Amino acid sequence: MNGFRKMLLCYFMLSKRLLKKNTFLLLLCAIPLLVVGMQVVSKQDSGMLTIVLCQENPEDSLSSKIVEDLLRNRGIINYQVIDDGEEAYREVVSGRADAAWFFPDEMQKQLDMYTAGNYDAKLLHIVEREDNVALQLSREKLYGSMYSHVSYSIYRNYITYELLDGVAPSEDILLENFEAARVEGDLFEFAYANEKDDASEAVGESYLTTPLRGMLALVIVLCGLAAAMYYLQDERNGVFARVPLDGRKKYFYAYEFTAMIYAGIAVLIALLCSGIFTRAIVEFRNMALFILATSVFCSIATKLCGKIQRLGTSIPILMLLMFVLCPVFFEVKSMKWIQYLLPPFYYLNSIHNDFFLYRMLVYCVALIVVDFVLEKLIQTKQ
């Protein structure tokens, strides 16, 4: 009981010390600010691409339907509707837009001529500053919006000219038979590796809030590295002068857990408020393992660096490695051996995949063994 009281007293005293440090408070404040900032930006008109939609005739039925469909399913593309063709062209030339899609007047007539075999009838005029992968994918989005209209035109031309020798049946009959063959529902079904997790909500998430968990995980790592620097600073100032060298390890982990528990609680609250919180048991379990792995990782980094100056110099390098190699924004398939050394890699992959949870357990054990060996080697040299 006395040991438990001493542990609580130590945690309380360390909490007071940490909360008096402006740098640690700034790190904690960065968590809610990051969440609020990402949510505000995600609600605004934003996208990887800006594409101008210009109709030659805004009253044209077919082009209006296509433009309406594109605006309704924006995704990661920011569409702007401009009626003046010259102004739309200037938007691309000036760099304010990545491309402009020009829809002709009497587009249905143009489409029918094209599907009948007159390939000189161009359906669209597209202006781009350059051709890249993102713009190529955007054109696939355009083709998807036009597909139902193109397929119906092909169907009507085939019935009229191939089966009825140019005698067009009534439009109502054509539409009735065409709609009868329509496939209802979604073609693709998304699922996580963990069958208990529902992937339907993730499909509609903003691409701006998707990397939020990864960025918050990096803040926790940064808090752990900051706590390691606080410990080295106190050690250099003689705070642990009366503590034997072999008894200081527990104080280092007290610094680590105190700092990261505060950060972990703040991150869990932020995940809950941002709407990307999954299941409570998964979030708390994985966060606890992540804090354990990160604390031992910081201990190893501290031992390898030795001095506070070296640790401070290595922090930007470590954070950059984690930002690039861990699945914060995207997953890097190469350099796996470096990814396996970084705690956020296991945490971010384990949320919806228990396979990486078991790997994180093995990773924690391996780090503890390495930390123990390094501790013995340091004690032997001293």
Side-chain angles (χ1 to χ4, degrees):
M1 191 68 177
N2 289 332
F4 182 71
R5 287 180 179 176
K6 288 182 179 180
M7 185 176 67
L8 287 179
L9 180 61
C10 179
Y11 183 81
F12 176 73
M13 297 301 293
L14 283 175
S15 297
K16 287 182 64 178
R17 284 177 60 83
L18 283 173
L19 293 176
K20 289 182 179 180
K21 294 183 180 292
N22 294 331
T23 53
F24 183 71
L25 288 176
L26 286 174
L27 287 175
L28 289 182
C29 291
I31 294 173
L33 289 175
L34 185 63
V35 174
V36 172
M38 295 290 280
Q39 287 185 329
V40 169
V41 173
S42 66
K43 292 177 181 178
Q44 297 177 351
D45 289 336
S46 60
M48 293 178 62
L49 293 173
T50 298
I51 295 179
V52 174
L53 306 178
C54 182
Q55 295 175 258
E56 185 177 329
N57 178 13
E59 302 298 325
D60 183 69
S61 175
L62 179 57
S63 62
S64 297
K65 290 179 181 178
I66 295 173
V67 169
E68 182 182 348
D69 181 67
L70 290 171
L71 294 175
R72 187 172 57 251
N73 302 290
R74 290 175 178 266
I76 61 173
I77 302 177
N78 180 32
Y79 295 109
Q80 295 180 0
V81 179
I82 297 178
D83 295 333
D84 187 358
E86 293 185 1
E87 183 182 350
Y89 184 81
R90 286 195 298 269
E91 288 291 307
V92 179
V93 173
S94 63
R96 291 190 293 269
D98 298 284
W101 296 345
F102 296 89
F103 299 88
D105 188 16
E106 297 184 343
M107 190 174 178
Q108 186 64 60
K109 181 180 178 181
Q110 295 282 86
L111 176 60
D112 292 338
M113 291 172 59
Y114 184 85
T115 56
N118 183 9
Y119 300 120
D120 292 330
K122 304 302 180 184
L123 296 181
L124 293 173
H125 180 61
I126 296 177
V127 176
E128 298 176 349
R129 289 192 295 120
E130 61 178 354
D131 192 23
N132 52 40
V133 175
L135 286 172
Q136 291 174 11
L137 292 175
S138 71
R139 294 198 293 271
E140 294 296 329
K141 178 77 173 178
L142 174 61
Y143 301 152
S145 297
M146 293 178 58
Y147 175 77
S148 61
H149 306 288
V150 174
S151 61
Y152 178 74
S153 180
I154 294 174
Y155 155 77
R156 184 173 57 188
N157 285 336
Y158 181 80
I159 296 294
T160 302
Y161 298 106
E162 298 295 331
L163 299 183
L164 300 179
D165 296 327
V167 180
S170 68
E171 197 71 19
D172 292 338
I173 296 177
L174 285 173
L175 277 172
E176 181 181 352
N177 286 276
F178 184 78
E179 293 295 331
R182 183 183 294 274
V183 177
E184 300 294 337
D186 295 327
L187 184 60
F188 300 100
E189 181 181 1
F190 295 90
Y192 289 119
N194 290 351
E195 296 182 356
K196 295 180 180 179
D197 296 335
D198 185 13
S200 59
E201 295 182 359
V203 177
E205 287 182 2
S206 169
Y207 77 101
L208 289 174
T209 58
T210 302
L212 184 58
R213 182 186 293 275
M215 297 174 71
L216 293 175
L218 295 186
V219 174
I220 293 178
V221 177
L222 191 57
C223 286
L225 292 171
M229 293 191 67
Y230 297 149
Y231 171 83
L232 291 177
Q233 189 178 42
D234 288 344
E235 187 180 45
R236 186 179 60 184
N237 294 336
V239 175
F240 305 107
R242 296 185 179 183
V243 180
L245 292 175
D246 58 352
R248 296 181 182 180
K249 185 177 182 179
K250 60 183 179 183
Y251 291 98
F252 177 86
Y253 280 108
Y255 274 66
E256 289 294 315
F257 286 124
T258 302
M260 283 192 289
I261 285 175
Y262 276 110
I265 292 173
V267 166
L268 289 175
I269 295 174
L271 294 175
L272 183 62
C273 295
S274 62
I276 57 177
F277 193 89
T278 57
R279 290 177 289 140
I281 186 172
V282 172
E283 295 288 357
F284 284 100
R285 175 195 67 192
N286 291 26
M287 180 59 72
L289 277 177
F290 178 54
I291 290 175
L292 174 62
T294 304
S295 62
V296 186
F297 176 85
C298 293
S299 176
I300 294 173
T302 304
K303 289 181 175 64
L304 292 176
C305 293
K307 297 182 179 181
I308 188 172
Q309 294 85 353
R310 295 174 184 170
L311 181 61
T313 304
S314 66
I315 286 177
I317 300 173
L318 289 173
M319 297 305 297
L320 182 61
L321 280 175
M322 294 179 193
F323 183 81
V324 174
L325 297 180
C326 296
V328 177
F329 284 93
F330 49 83
E331 185 174 357
V332 179
K333 297 298 182 181
S334 59
M335 304 181 73
K336 286 289 186 182
W337 64 276
I338 299 181
Q339 293 177 336
Y340 292 151
L341 301 177
L342 306 174
F345 173 78
Y346 298 93
Y347 169 69
L348 297 176
N349 282 297
S350 65
I351 297 299
H352 298 294
N353 191 344
D354 286 343
F355 175 73
F356 281 94
L357 175 67
Y358 304 134
R359 280 194 172 188
M360 186 156 59
L361 285 169
V362 175
Y363 175 73
C364 289
V365 174
L367 286 183
I368 291 172
V369 171
V370 172
D371 187 48
F372 177 79
V373 172
L374 287 175
E375 183 75 20
K376 291 300 181 183
L377 289 175
I378 293 173
Q379 290 178 6
T380 302
K381 289 182 180 181
Q382 293 176 343

